[in-house]
Amino acid sequence: MNTPVRITLERPDDFDGWRNAARELFQAGVPPEQVVWTVEGEGMDLFGSDAPRAGVASAPAMSVPRPFVSLAETVVCHSDPQRFALLYSMRWKLQANRRALEDRADPLVDRLEGLAKEVRRDAHKMHAFVRFREVAEPDGTERFVAWFEPDHHIVRREAGFFVRRFSNMRWSILTPELSIHWDTETLTEGPGASPADAPGGDPLE
């Protein structure tokens, strides 16, 4: 029995890490059932070994259809712990049939599309329900702070929406996983928060 290969990604929404690892695994001929995907800090698989990356990074890249890349960028933001494995299985399948993603009767395609739909729904909720409250900073400046508790790992993905919409406003969005802060020029990240860290009072539309 082959020892499973463990891939540990840096963040729950680490699309670039997943894409690079998936490319190297495929070029090394590692099948989906032999890969264990984990996220740093979320537990380790005691029976897996680190992925053997040396010697495969320079191999020719295998292209995948653009719709799959778009789907994967969305699905990695889901909270389902199987999301990375499901995507790698789909990538493996696409090498034999580049039109496999068009088969909506395929259970794997159906599940991935369902995960993507849930992520998009969560993003819509964030856009619609984040409400800022004004707070005074120690230096006398104003900042607007909001609390939101997403179901999935969408905060980094959706940060650009708020930067574009509130570009001239100093704001923070606090969530359990991480917080994002905008000072009208730079977007930064901070640790997760709790509802108690958010100000009370009437929200500002």
Side-chain angles (χ1 to χ4, degrees):
M1 181 177 179
N2 293 327
T3 302
V5 175
R6 181 183 64 240
I7 299 294
T8 302
L9 301 174
E10 292 183 359
R11 305 188 309 266
D13 58 350
D14 189 1
F15 171 75
D16 289 337
W18 173 84
R19 178 178 56 185
N20 293 336
R23 180 186 297 121
E24 294 177 8
L25 289 166
F26 183 84
Q27 291 167 212
V30 182
E33 62 272 15
Q34 198 177 327
V35 185
V36 176
W37 298 89
T38 63
V39 176
E40 188 172 343
E42 294 187 1
M44 302 294 287
D45 179 76
L46 299 178
F47 302 101
S49 61
D50 291 332
R53 300 196 173 196
V56 301
S58 60
M62 301 295 290
S63 64
V64 293
R66 178 60 202 177
F68 173 70
V69 177
S70 179
L71 177 68
E73 288 173 337
T74 303
V75 170
V76 295
C77 296
H78 202 280
S79 58
D80 189 325
Q82 295 300 313
R83 61 194 180 281
F84 300 113
L86 293 170
L87 286 169
Y88 184 57
S89 294
M90 191 71 237
R91 190 189 195 284
W92 189 270
K93 181 177 291 191
L94 284 167
Q95 303 310 316
N97 177 13
R98 289 184 61 83
R99 302 186 63 179
L101 202 59
E102 299 174 19
D103 183 7
R104 296 303 177 90
D106 185 328
L108 178 57
V109 174
D110 182 67
R111 184 169 178 186
L112 288 172
E113 292 288 354
L115 296 181
K117 183 177 180 180
E118 291 175 9
V119 170
R120 290 191 292 267
R121 183 184 301 120
D122 205 28
H124 175 73
K125 286 168 54 182
M126 186 174 183
H127 296 174
F129 298 128
V130 161
R131 295 290 183 267
F132 290 101
R133 291 174 170 83
E134 185 176 357
V135 298
E137 297 278 61
D139 60 3
T141 59
E142 296 177 342
R143 174 171 292 273
F144 297 88
V145 180
W147 165 259
F148 185 70
E149 192 166 354
D151 295 324
H152 306 293
H153 309 290
I154 63 168
V155 179
R156 290 188 186 92
R157 173 184 171 91
E158 301 307 320
F161 170 86
F162 294 94
V163 169
R164 292 187 297 272
R165 187 168 185 180
F166 305 108
S167 60
N168 296 321
M169 189 173 83
R170 292 162 54 89
W171 53 259
S172 297
I173 299 178
L174 313 181
T175 80
E177 185 173 302
L178 76 156
S179 301
I180 53 174
H181 312 279
W182 175 250
D183 63 2
T184 73
E185 293 183 357
T186 305
L187 184 71
T188 57
E189 295 182 9
S194 70
D197 298 317
D202 295 331
L204 300 178
E205 298 291 344

